[in-house]
Amino acid sequence: LNDGSYISGMLRELKADIKLGRINENDALMKMGMLFHTFADTHAHQLFTGYNNKVNSVKIHRVHDNVLRKDVTNEYRFWVDQWIKKVKKIIKVKMPTIGHMAIVHVPDLTHLEFDMEYTGYDGNTYHHIRSNTSTYVNVCKQLYDYMREILGDDIPANIRWDVLSEMLAEGFLVDASKELNEGEAAAVIKLKRHWSNIFTHFKYD
């Protein structure tokens, strides 16, 4: 946040609109939810572009499962390979390299840590290493701070950040890859059950 990016500017503008009463509560919450999704995706989709571009032709170097605490590189390489074959069979043309299609849902799955090899715009080969679990908790901290600034000290937090961060980390430590392979609906069922067990006072839908 506050890095001069377009999404950061939109969030700053929303904060001003709320503080000055230029937007009603329902519209503010709806807009905040949409902007939060976009903001979170800028982290999940780091180093990928939404265009069909060779920089998206990344390769999995290593995958670590933060739930099982073990290397699962071979399983995910196989999973990615099978998914690409399936897509090529459906579209009947060369696989486009848009976003993170080349490594499927590895950047989205919250329980994974991965190392991917990619080619930069300068033509050189690089490695990008990321733990989705800890990255997403850090993103949540920025969003938490943003909401706390809007609410102000007159409305104290229901849960302190140190407690909330542990609960969020527990939330992210869930493997829904098998269900996601069946379809998003199956993954949503598993995720709803998992998150409802952690945050029992929320209804997920």
Side-chain angles (χ1 to χ4, degrees):
L1 283 167
N2 304 316
D3 65 354
S5 63
Y6 186 64
I7 184 63
S8 174
M10 290 188 75
L11 282 164
R12 192 168 56 250
E13 184 182 300
L14 174 61
K15 190 191 297 182
D17 286 344
I18 293 169
K19 288 204 178 251
L20 296 171
R22 294 189 298 227
I23 188 170
N24 68 52
E25 186 177 5
N26 283 341
D27 288 348
L29 289 171
M30 182 68 75
K31 189 171 182 180
M32 193 183 297
M34 293 190 299
L35 293 177
F36 275 14
H37 188 147
T38 304
F39 178 78
D41 268 357
T42 64
H43 291 266
H45 300 168
Q46 281 179 70
L47 304 178
F48 297 99
T49 172
Y51 299 101
N52 190 3
N53 193 295
K54 65 179 182 180
V55 297
N56 295 322
S57 298
V58 303
K59 294 176 185 173
I60 288 292
H61 186 70
R62 182 183 62 86
V63 182
H64 181 83
D65 187 317
N66 290 333
V67 176
L68 300 175
R69 298 184 181 181
K70 70 172 192 175
D71 186 284
V72 288
T73 306
N74 290 336
E75 291 94 316
Y76 276 89
R77 277 185 182 149
F78 178 77
W79 185 47
V80 167
D81 186 52
Q82 293 300 110
W83 187 85
I84 289 173
K85 283 179 182 175
K86 181 179 172 184
V87 171
K88 281 183 176 177
K89 192 174 179 182
I90 294 168
I91 63 177
K92 296 181 171 58
V93 292
K94 185 184 175 186
M95 178 81 168
T97 50
I98 300 169
H100 53 73
M101 288 175 73
I103 55 172
V104 200
H105 290 293
V106 170
D108 295 322
L109 292 166
T110 60
H111 71 296
L112 295 181
E113 177 182 313
F114 69 96
D115 175 352
M116 72 178 190
E117 187 180 295
Y118 71 99
T119 304
Y121 285 105
D122 58 6
N124 292 322
T125 300
Y126 298 96
H127 280 267
H128 174 64
I129 301 169
R130 182 173 90 217
S131 167
N132 291 338
T133 310
S134 59
T135 297
Y136 294 164
V137 171
N138 289 334
V139 173
C140 287
K141 175 67 163 74
Q142 293 184 63
L143 299 180
Y144 175 88
D145 289 343
Y146 177 88
M147 289 186 285
R148 287 305 319 153
E149 284 173 24
I150 289 173
L151 290 170
D153 294 333
D154 292 340
I155 305 173
N158 291 327
I159 308 174
R160 295 192 328 268
W161 172 252
D162 58 335
V163 176
L164 181 59
S165 63
E166 289 182 10
M167 296 171 78
L168 288 167
E170 188 182 345
F172 290 141
L173 289 173
V174 57
D175 181 359
S177 58
K178 182 183 174 186
E179 289 78 9
L180 194 57
N181 210 25
E182 297 170 20
E184 283 194 7
V188 167
I189 290 169
K190 181 168 186 174
L191 292 170
K192 276 168 62 175
R193 192 184 309 120
H194 175 76
W195 283 90
S196 296
N197 287 336
I198 299 167
F199 293 96
T200 55
H201 51 297
F202 286 114
K203 180 180 182 296
Y204 291 93
D205 209 349

